[in-house]
Amino acid sequence: MATHAETPEETRARKERGAHSPPHDPHRDDNIVDLIGQLTSQSAHLAQQQVNLVQAEVREAANDIKAGLGGLIGAAVLGISGLGVTLMGIAYLIGDAIGDRDLATLLVGLAVLLIAGIIYASAKSKMDASNLKPERTIDTAERTPEVARGDAHK
């Protein structure tokens, strides 16, 4: 089988397509080897896209964890500062109103702990393990065989 030398135009076109792409011969149909090569290349591209999707979902989950940690820290700061200064004054005012400062101090302290617990529970729910599951990647991976067969349905 004779091979023909590339013209400068064919060389430039091949370089634009990529160094590994053979020159296209318009008189030759793609054979099974070329088709398998294209399928392999597209499969590698799809795999890389899947990896990129997983990385994006992990980054998103990490951002959710950061937000949850920020909420936990905020709840701790609120709980400590609230128990320290302002609430003692409120306890004294309530104690004067009901005639029992000890009981008023206990009630105010319990109320503050309840509020801090609610903030803590809200922040903890953001850190739930279910938020770390890469849902979109799993869905795409499950649909990939269907797409390859041409059976994809939304």
Side-chain angles (χ1 to χ4, degrees):
M1 175 162 102
T3 61
H4 83 279
E6 282 187 12
T7 66
E9 292 81 18
E10 289 174 330
T11 302
R12 184 175 35 79
R14 181 177 51 79
K15 287 181 181 178
E16 288 174 2
R17 284 192 313 269
H20 300 296
S21 299
H24 182 69
D25 184 358
H27 303 292
R28 179 182 58 93
D29 289 331
D30 287 337
N31 62 28
I32 190 72
V33 174
D34 291 335
L35 293 175
I36 290 173
Q38 289 174 5
L39 178 62
T40 302
S41 173
Q42 290 174 355
S43 296
H45 179 71
L46 178 61
Q48 181 60 46
Q49 294 297 344
Q50 289 293 98
V51 168
N52 292 344
L53 181 59
V54 168
Q55 289 173 341
E57 289 188 26
V58 167
R59 277 192 298 272
E60 187 177 315
N63 288 336
D64 287 345
I65 289 173
K66 288 177 188 175
L69 286 174
L72 291 175
I73 292 169
V77 169
L78 177 64
I80 292 168
S81 65
L83 287 172
V85 179
T86 307
L87 298 174
M88 202 63 200
I90 293 171
Y92 271 54
L93 288 173
I94 294 172
D96 288 344
I98 63 172
D100 189 354
R101 280 191 179 166
D102 294 338
L103 178 61
T105 304
L106 178 64
L107 292 175
V108 169
L110 290 174
V112 169
L113 289 175
L114 178 66
I115 292 169
I118 291 169
I119 294 171
Y120 172 81
S122 172
K124 187 176 181 217
S125 71
K126 288 188 183 285
M127 296 176 59
D128 189 2
S130 67
N131 292 337
L132 301 177
K133 187 176 179 183
E135 297 287 344
R136 293 173 290 194
T137 302
I138 292 169
D139 180 54
T140 303
E142 288 173 350
R143 290 186 29 194
T144 299
E146 296 170 359
V147 171
R149 288 191 306 266
D151 298 336
H153 301 289
K154 282 208 167 204

